[in-house]
């Protein structure tokens, strides 16, 4: 097929943009162009051909079709959504501006189908590295997305939520949010969307997690941000606990991980931790969906320091141990394909919790671990032997980090707790005094 691409593109563009071509023929030709563009965009071998194709298409007035009928306008937006970042980058500046302005215009069209197609294409454009530096486009795109999130047509607001997620992905990657938009504006928009329909909530909680990850001390010191951590955490926990959509739950758990990872939010307030950490522990043990359990487990391991766990450190340990004990209990046999991933993450989270342990935790930790010692040994040994080298290195680092604890002024019970942990992570043959059982 490759040798025939150029003449095929020329024929399609002739039928798409020809003045005397019937609308139905234009429609089918535009759909053919969309399929061809999508195929070329995924092939590295055809990269230069793809760039040439788009230049020809835009120079042959493809965008002009947007003004002929709503159906053709939506199809042209679908075509633009297939454009690769490289192809866009190689376009002359004039054609780049034409693409952006056309999509922003269509996003405000009277026809819902056109608005939906335009915002979907905008969502794709928001992933382009070139456009992440274009503040005017990002600003305009942000305004359009926030407006379409309130659209009465579910299809439109669903696509807008996906675009919001892509926008915040880009902001998190480039870390220049305040040059484009005030974070509190997008946070409020995301929180409002996270209370909407299921298809909107899945991307709204993703966006909210990204935005919480962006917050710095300078934001949190302002009055308008005072209640953000608690309100956002309550909303995310509610979505994480939802049983009507697993995608919403997965994304909400991931967003809670972004919240827990941000030290600035921990330092600004701690009341929200009493909402988030017990909820994650509950999901880790009680959720019937193993991917939700895994994501809850990932979030628990995002806390950067022991002091941020507060009184929830031992309950987090208990939840991970209970998670290992109950990993064979499945309400749905389809979950078996996610079992290995869950076990691996439980072991990784156990490593993280042990890395941040303090000697004051040891007595309580002994009571948690000693009754599950065989389980801990078995899974950690398997994890060490079968995981990728980075995971095995983590286990060794945990074992090395336990040795300094022996230099602390430990009670007999605390010393036995250290020996127990060394037994788990080094597989040493420590003996526990009968008086402690």
């Amino acid at each position: 097929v490759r040798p025939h691409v150029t003449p095929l593109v020329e024929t399609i563009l002739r039928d798409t943009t020809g003045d005397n071509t019937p609308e139905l023929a234009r429609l089918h030709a535009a759909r053919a162009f969309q399929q061809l563009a999508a195929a070329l965009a995924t092939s590295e071998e055809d990269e230069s051909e793809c760039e040439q194709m788009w230049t020809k298409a835009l120079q042959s007035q493809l965008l002009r079709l947007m003004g002929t009928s709503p159906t053709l306008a939506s199809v042209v937006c679908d075509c633009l959504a297939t454009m690769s970042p490289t192809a866009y980058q190689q376009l002359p500046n004039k054609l780049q501006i034409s693409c952006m302005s056309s999509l922003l215009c269509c996003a405000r069209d009277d026809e819902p189908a056109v608005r939906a197609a335009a915002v979907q294409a905008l969502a794709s454009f928001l992933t382009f590295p070139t456009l992440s530096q274009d503040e005017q486009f990002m600003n305009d795109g942000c305004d359009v997305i926030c407006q379409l999130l309130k659209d009465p047509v579910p299809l439109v607001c669903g696509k807008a939520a996906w675009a919001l997620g892509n926008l915040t992905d880009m902001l998190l990657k480039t870390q220049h949010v305040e040059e484009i938009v005030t974070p509190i504006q997008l946070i409020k928009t995301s929180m409002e969307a996270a209370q909407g329909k299921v298809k909107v909530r899945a991307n709204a909680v993703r966006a909210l997690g990204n935005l919480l990850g962006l917050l710095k001390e300078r934001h949190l010191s302002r009055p308008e941000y005072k209640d953000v951590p608690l309100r956002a955490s309550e909303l995310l926990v509610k979505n994480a606990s939802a049983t009507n959509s697993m995608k919403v739950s997965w994304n909400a758990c991931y967003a809670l991980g972004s919240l827990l990872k941000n030290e600035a939010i921990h330092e600004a307030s701690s009341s929200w931790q009493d909402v988030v950490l017990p909820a994650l522990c509950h999901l880790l043990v009680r959720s019937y969906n193993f991917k939700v359990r895994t994501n809850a487990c990932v979030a628990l391991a995002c806390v950067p320091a022991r002091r941020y766990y507060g009184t929830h450190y031992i309950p987090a340990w208990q939840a991970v141990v209970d998670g290992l004990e109950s990993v064979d209990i499945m309400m749905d046999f389809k979950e078996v394909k996610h079992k290995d991933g869950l076990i691996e993450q439980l072991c990784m989270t156990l490593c993280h919790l042990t890395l941040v342990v303090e000697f004051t935790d040891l007595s309580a930790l002994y009571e948690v671990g000693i009754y599950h010692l065989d389980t801990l040994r078995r899974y950690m040994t398997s994890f060490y032997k079968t995981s990728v080298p980075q995971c095995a290195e983590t286990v060794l680092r945990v074992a090395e980090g336990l040795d300094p604890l022996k230099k602390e002024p430990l009670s007999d019970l605390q010393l036995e707790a250290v020996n127990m942990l060394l037994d788990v992570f080094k597989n040493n043959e420590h003996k526990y005094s009968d008086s402690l059982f």
Side-chain angles (χ1 to χ4, degrees):
V1 177
R2 189 173 289 113
H4 306 286
V5 168
T6 300
L8 184 59
V9 168
E10 291 174 354
T11 303
I12 290 172
L13 291 176
R14 183 195 65 207
D15 291 341
T16 304
T17 59
D19 291 333
N20 298 320
T21 307
E23 183 174 325
L24 185 60
R26 285 183 175 186
L27 176 62
H28 288 299
R31 286 293 186 200
F33 178 84
Q34 178 192 349
Q35 296 298 319
L36 184 59
L40 291 176
T42 57
S43 172
E44 292 183 6
E45 295 177 14
D46 299 319
E47 203 169 86
S48 60
E49 210 156 18
C50 185
E51 293 161 12
Q52 293 171 17
M53 180 191 69
W54 274 108
T55 302
K56 285 180 183 177
L58 295 171
Q59 287 176 342
S60 65
Q61 304 299 310
L62 177 68
L63 297 179
R64 191 181 61 179
L65 294 178
M66 289 179 167
T68 57
S69 76
T71 304
L72 281 171
S74 63
V75 173
V76 173
C77 289
D78 290 340
C79 290
L80 291 173
T82 66
M83 190 185 298
S84 69
T86 307
Y88 178 84
Q89 190 173 0
Q90 297 302 319
L91 290 175
N93 186 57
K94 182 180 179 180
L95 294 180
Q96 289 182 347
I97 293 172
S98 295
C99 290
M100 290 187 290
S101 58
S102 297
L103 287 176
L104 290 168
C105 182
C106 283
R108 295 181 171 90
D109 196 271
D110 291 337
E111 286 294 324
V114 178
R115 296 198 299 273
V119 77
Q120 179 167 315
L122 283 172
S124 296
F125 274 44
L126 287 167
T127 65
F128 294 178
T130 308
L131 284 175
S132 67
Q133 306 302 321
D134 189 326
E135 293 180 20
Q136 185 61 52
F137 172 72
M138 299 306 298
N139 228 327
D140 291 341
C142 180
D143 290 342
V144 165
I145 291 166
C146 290
Q147 178 184 337
L148 293 182
L149 278 167
K150 300 175 183 178
D151 199 285
V153 179
L155 177 65
V156 177
C157 56
K159 301 287 187 185
W162 181 50
L164 178 65
N166 285 2
L167 171 66
T168 56
D169 283 343
M170 185 281 301
L171 294 175
L172 190 62
K173 190 179 295 184
T174 57
Q175 293 285 321
H176 65 283
V177 61
E178 284 187 304
E179 298 172 16
I180 299 170
V181 64
T182 307
I184 192 66
Q185 174 193 339
L186 282 179
I187 288 173
K188 288 178 177 178
T189 299
S190 299
M191 289 175 68
E192 185 177 342
Q195 301 173 70
K197 295 183 182 296
V198 169
K199 288 186 178 180
V200 174
R201 289 188 354 242
N203 282 297
V205 295
R206 167 188 157 211
L208 183 56
N210 286 338
L211 293 164
L212 292 171
L214 278 167
L215 295 184
K216 302 288 189 292
E217 184 181 351
R218 65 178 181 273
H219 302 125
L220 296 161
S221 61
R222 300 174 192 166
E224 61 266 33
Y225 289 90
K226 182 181 178 182
D227 298 328
V228 165
L230 182 57
R231 288 178 57 214
S233 62
E234 289 174 342
L235 192 54
L236 289 174
V237 164
K238 182 178 179 181
N239 278 284
S241 304
T243 56
N244 59 338
S245 172
M246 290 303 105
K247 187 174 182 181
V248 172
S249 298
W250 305 332
N251 286 0
C253 287
Y254 190 83
L256 286 169
S258 296
L259 171 65
L260 288 166
K261 198 181 294 183
N262 191 332
E263 289 197 60
I265 298 180
H266 284 284
E267 295 293 343
S269 63
S270 59
S271 57
W272 59 271
Q273 297 161 352
D274 295 330
V275 175
V276 172
L277 292 171
L280 289 173
C281 290
H282 178 80
L283 286 170
L284 173 55
V285 179
R286 301 295 179 188
S287 176
Y288 67 84
N289 185 281
F290 276 21
K291 285 183 71 176
V292 172
R293 287 196 196 186
T294 302
N295 281 12
C297 197
V298 170
L300 276 177
C302 287
V303 182
R306 165 63 184 90
R307 66 182 184 275
Y308 299 138
Y309 282 102
T311 58
H312 303 290
Y313 177 78
I314 297 299
W317 240 93
Q318 182 72 64
V320 174
V321 172
D322 290 344
L324 285 170
E325 290 283 12
S326 63
V327 78
D328 289 319
I329 303 171
M330 299 178 207
M331 300 297 289
D332 187 341
F333 189 70
K334 287 186 291 186
E335 296 302 316
V336 72
K337 61 186 175 183
H338 303 302
K339 178 181 172 181
D340 290 344
L342 173 58
I343 292 172
E344 182 174 305
Q345 186 55 54
L346 285 163
C347 291
M348 283 297 295
T349 300
L350 199 64
C351 288
H352 174 77
L353 289 168
T354 309
L355 277 170
V356 299
V357 69
E358 296 176 352
F359 78 93
T360 52
D361 301 316
L362 292 172
S363 297
L365 199 55
Y366 183 86
E367 300 298 333
V368 172
I370 195 60
Y371 297 107
H372 305 275
L373 189 55
D374 288 342
T375 299
L376 293 173
R377 278 183 189 146
R378 183 173 75 255
Y379 281 116
M380 198 54 65
T381 300
S382 175
F383 175 67
Y384 177 77
K385 289 179 179 178
T386 61
S387 296
V388 295
Q390 294 92 323
C391 294
E393 288 170 11
T394 301
V395 176
L396 293 174
R397 191 155 50 91
V398 173
E400 290 170 2
L402 289 168
D403 287 326
L405 283 175
K406 286 191 169 184
K407 297 177 183 178
E408 300 286 349
L410 303 179
S411 67
D412 290 343
L413 183 60
Q414 289 172 326
L415 183 59
E416 289 297 325
V418 175
N419 288 336
M420 177 191 71
L421 292 173
L422 284 169
D423 195 3
V424 170
F425 290 97
K426 275 189 174 180
N427 209 21
N428 293 327
E429 295 299 325
H430 289 292
K431 303 298 181 184
Y432 299 91
S433 55
D434 293 338
S435 61
L436 294 174
F437 283 87

